Amino acid sequence: MTTTTDLLTIAGHTFESRFILGSGKYSYDLIDAAVTHAKAEMITMALRRTESADDNILNFIPDHVTILPNTSGATNAEEAIRTARLARELSGSPFIKLEVVPDKKYLMPDNAETVKATAVLANEGFIVMPYVLPDLNVARQLVDAGAATVMPLGAPIGTNQGLSTKALIQILIDEIEVPIIVDAGIGRPSQAAEAMEMGAAAIMANTSMATANNIPLMAEAFRLGVEAGRKAFLAGPGRVIDKGAIASSPLKGISQKV
């Protein structure tokens, strides 16, 4: 199976890449590396990055890359809805990464306010991709409200801690019909591969690349990690033996004499 036949589909839009760049730690080098080496086809955009001509992220995102505006900074549903509307006017993109984060210490999303905002924005024609704490009941409410994906955090934003919520994310993958995209906390390509092996539809990362010593090399490593994990998921990992061991080569016909 090739990338052209195994496509990521979000609300009817298809992507060959399953790596999404979060651009909170925005720089031209980061965007260039993500597009060139990680092959990202979707990049987030915060509203504040479009406020001046000199620092407008839209000037640095290639035309073939889909812009994913986010509602970064919103602390309740009302603020998120207002930010989403402004972002659509500025970017022209129907996509919105919905973030409602009132907690300033741990940056934990407010699931209830996120569900509320999702219902309004989906009704207005947005392709809503909400960022949430992994909770099955909330994920079902989001889908009912019109969410195109569900984006559970792997670990707190910017920590690079990996899949701290692995068991809860697996439940969402198993039970929710829209794409599950792991967002926040993925710090290593191996962690991205692990999430993809679980059946995640895609990975979003930012800090792990932005803080790497060699951004282009890390971008390439993430591409390979995501691709490897996806292929492993499609292949179906082999069985696990809890006790004892099973020889990888048959023992029949081998002399047991010492």
Side-chain angles (χ1 to χ4, degrees):
M1 183 169 289
T2 66
T3 55
T4 55
T5 57
D6 177 40
L7 300 176
L8 169 63
T9 302
I10 301 174
H13 297 258
T14 57
F15 305 88
E16 292 185 16
S17 174
R18 292 176 180 272
F19 176 80
I20 302 172
L21 176 69
S23 63
K25 291 178 172 58
Y26 154 75
S27 72
Y28 171 75
D29 290 341
L30 179 61
I31 291 176
D32 181 64
V35 174
T36 303
H37 299 282
K39 304 300 182 185
E41 296 176 339
M42 180 177 283
I43 295 176
T44 65
M45 180 202 76
L47 183 61
R48 65 183 181 275
R49 290 297 184 189
T50 66
E51 291 176 349
S52 69
D54 294 334
D55 193 32
N56 191 332
I57 192 173
L58 296 175
N59 295 332
F60 302 100
I61 297 178
D63 291 340
H64 72 278
V65 173
T66 296
I67 297 168
L68 175 57
N70 65 29
T71 61
S72 175
T75 60
N76 55 50
E78 183 179 355
E79 290 178 5
I81 292 166
R82 183 169 61 251
T83 301
R85 290 167 177 164
L86 289 171
R88 180 163 64 178
E89 288 297 318
L90 288 167
S91 69
S93 175
F95 287 87
I96 191 72
K97 185 193 174 193
L98 181 58
E99 300 178 19
V100 183
V101 182
D103 167 49
K104 299 307 179 185
K105 182 176 182 179
Y106 298 103
L107 302 177
M108 292 292 147
D110 185 323
N111 283 0
E113 289 291 292
T114 301
V115 172
K116 189 187 304 183
T118 295
V120 173
L121 294 173
N123 188 56
E124 294 182 3
F126 284 88
I127 300 172
V128 186
M129 300 172 63
Y131 166 66
V132 291
L133 291 165
D135 179 293
L136 179 58
N137 293 319
V138 169
R140 286 172 171 161
Q141 291 168 18
L142 288 167
V143 173
D144 290 343
T149 68
V150 176
M151 302 181 71
L153 60 84
I157 292 173
T159 62
N160 285 347
Q161 291 177 358
L163 291 168
S164 298
T165 59
K166 179 178 179 178
L168 298 177
I169 290 174
Q170 187 67 69
I171 292 172
L172 301 191
I173 292 170
D174 293 342
E175 300 296 332
I176 301 299
E177 58 271 25
V178 301
I180 303 300
I181 300 174
V182 179
D183 178 20
I186 298 297
R188 301 286 186 272
S190 59
Q191 295 163 356
E194 183 178 9
M196 297 303 294
E197 286 176 3
M198 292 164 57
I203 297 296
M204 178 176 285
N206 176 217
T207 303
S208 50
M209 280 175 48
T211 60
N213 291 332
N214 187 322
I215 292 177
L217 191 59
M218 185 60 76
E220 182 179 6
F222 261 91
R223 174 179 62 80
L224 294 171
V226 169
E227 290 178 356
R230 178 64 180 176
K231 289 180 179 180
F233 170 73
L234 294 174
R239 71 193 188 291
V240 175
I241 304 300
D242 292 327
K243 295 182 179 180
I246 297 179
S248 58
S249 299
L251 298 178
K252 184 177 180 181
I254 297 177
S255 174
Q256 301 299 313
K257 294 181 179 179
V258 178

